[in-house]
Amino acid sequence: MSSTRVLVLNSGSSSVKYQLLDMRGGSRLAVGLVERIGEETSRLKHTPTGGAAREWTGAIADHDAALKAVSEELARDGLGLDSPELAAIGHRVVHGGLHFTEPTVIDDAVLAEIERLVPVAPLHNPANLTGIRTASALRPDLPQVAVFDTAFHTTMPESAARYAIDVRTADEYRIRRYGFHGTSHAYVSRATAELLGKHPSEVNVIVLHLGNGASASAVEGGRCVDTSMGLTPLEGLVMGTRSGDMDPAVIFHLMRVGGMSTDEIDTLLNKKSGLVGLCGDNDMREIRRRIDEGDEQAKLAFDIYIHRLRKYIGAYYAVLGRVDAVAFTAGVGENASPVREAAVAGLEALGLAVDGELNAVRSDEPRLISPESARVAVAVVPTDEELEIATQTYALVKGSQNLT
Ligand code: ADP
């Protein structure tokens, strides 16, 4: 029997998101998530394609128990992880440093390198490692592939990737701009080229991945030349709970004058800033509702969010020189038409405009929202990181099988 299925795992510190895909056509067989792992009220939600969702709440002690529960749910739909049709497991790994520029079959050396990167991704890489170890124990015979969030950005030139700090210090501590959401930026920039009927090598795209985490990238002929996240996913745009760009001296000030500890500042900037810090809400739907009711605080939060976004569009326009398309993606980018409208309002001189009617259309399909006459295409391109991870995983596994 040919094995054409790929299980995609996205393991967080207390959650596992998963999708099972059949790579003959890239169809989804099942999706689900386990959250609040380690608590009494863990929750598993499993949805087989074409079937009803099943939910289960109870104590799931650790990732091992979580993956076993997922495996049981899949087995109930005849999609068990012991199936010979499963070709590989693809893992989202957040930080691959400079070492990993491509998806990689995981072995002990790869595990050690992901471990070595924990200091630069303390929240994410340990959880990713746990997911990999758990899945490997469950199916030791199966190729486990790591697909790195940073890989797409390794093409950035040094002029964009380096911070202007002492070179020796930077090199000693591996301080540089790595960028994140790379799987999404890769997928969306390619899909945007496709929407324009062009090869990725022919187009320059500014990708705006606006989810709870948010990042922009400048993609020149299919290669990333700049991105807004840096050493960690804290830099750049205003996000749901993260500050994005800020004078680093704010941190010294909070330590010296505010008496705050490193961990307190870390929590402040990563979890209590951004939209939630500015107005108490990080969901763009809620913020828009409050603005419609005349809430000034929500309006200011929105304006700060948009101001930063526009600065990045302008910056990446200058980085690229010629821009063929601006693509909006992820939860906010795909759904929030007022964000898209405000992001490019008044930029006609740059060839950017949004057509009000097209912008109001709701759809899951990639689509143009700029008027036909516009010099630069503005597009909404739903991201699909799981499909991208599965595609890269499958290509790697099948490619290497052909070689042997
Ligand atoms: P992440 O993967 O980073 O958690 P998503 O890409 O799923 O985030 O985006 C989640 C965010 O998308 C929500 O916090 C919310 O702000 C926004 N969002 C989702 N649906 C809508 C909608 N219909 N209108 C406006 N914003 C939305």
Side-chain angles (χ1 to χ4, degrees), residues 10 17 92 181 209-214 240 242 275 282-288 305 329-339 362 383 385:
N10 181 353
K17 291 187 199 145
R92 175 190 182 208
H181 290 146
H209 176 111
L210 311 176
N212 215 351
R242 293 176 221 153
L275 291 170
N282 61 338
D283 193 312
M284 194 51 82
R285 284 164 287 202
E286 189 57 21
I287 291 170
R288 291 303 311 174
Y305 182 94
T329 195
V332 175
E334 291 167 28
N335 295 298
S337 53
V339 168
R362 299 194 61 84
T383 192
E385 288 163 284

Side-chain angles (χ1 to χ4, degrees), residues 10-50:
N10 181 353
S11 308
S13 55
S14 65
S15 70
V16 177
K17 291 187 199 145
Y18 63 93
Q19 290 197 6
L20 184 67
L21 293 102
D22 191 328
M23 300 318 291
R24 282 171 302 200
S27 62
R28 245 162 277 260
L29 301 172
V31 306
L33 91 158
V34 187
E35 49 188 5
R36 298 195 291 272
I37 295 172
E39 295 179 29
E40 288 302 309
T41 56
S42 317
R43 186 175 81 109
L44 186 153
K45 183 171 180 193
H46 175 87
T47 312
T49 300

Side-chain angles (χ1 to χ4, degrees), residues 193-373:
E194 210 170 290
L195 183 68
L196 300 180
K198 300 247 171 85
H199 191 269
S201 64
E202 297 174 293
V203 294
N204 293 347
V205 188
I206 297 174
V207 178
L208 303 170
H209 176 111
L210 311 176
N212 215 351
S215 62
S217 68
V219 183
E220 187 176 55
R223 289 163 64 85
C224 177
V225 292
D226 205 352
T227 193
S228 60
M229 285 178 166
L231 174 74
T232 77
L234 183 55
E235 189 179 344
L237 299 172
V238 175
M239 312 184 208
T241 66
R242 293 176 221 153
S243 63
D245 294 337
M246 211 187 55
D247 182 344
V250 169
I251 296 168
F252 322 141
H253 187 80
L254 288 172
M255 288 176 128
R256 291 187 187 125
V257 181
M260 288 174 75
S261 70
T262 311
D263 285 347
E264 282 169 337
I265 298 171
D266 193 329
T267 304
L268 175 80
L269 300 181
N270 274 298
K271 304 222 168 106
K272 298 183 180 168
S273 297
L275 291 170
V276 90
L278 289 166
C279 74
D281 273 308
N282 61 338
D283 193 312
M284 194 51 82
R285 284 164 287 202
E286 189 57 21
I287 291 170
R288 291 303 311 174
R289 197 191 57 72
R290 284 172 56 185
I291 293 172
D292 288 345
E293 287 177 354
D295 186 320
E296 290 294 330
Q297 208 188 3
K299 172 77 170 68
L300 180 59
F302 184 82
D303 289 348
I304 294 170
Y305 182 94
I306 296 294
H307 180 76
R308 186 84 53 85
L309 190 55
R310 290 166 64 87
K311 282 187 16 178
Y312 269 93
I313 294 172
Y316 287 172
Y317 212 116
V319 166
L320 290 168
R322 187 200 85 223
V323 176
D324 299 295
V326 174
F328 287 88
T329 195
V332 175
E334 291 167 28
N335 295 298
S337 53
V339 168
R340 299 191 296 254
E341 187 188 327
V344 303
L347 299 183
E348 288 81 7
L350 296 179
L352 283 164
V354 156
D355 176 289
E357 267 178 43
L358 293 176
N359 191 31
V361 172
R362 299 194 61 84
S363 158
D364 292 336
E365 296 297 317
R367 59 200 184 273
L368 292 174
I369 57 169
S370 42
E372 230 164 88
S373 58

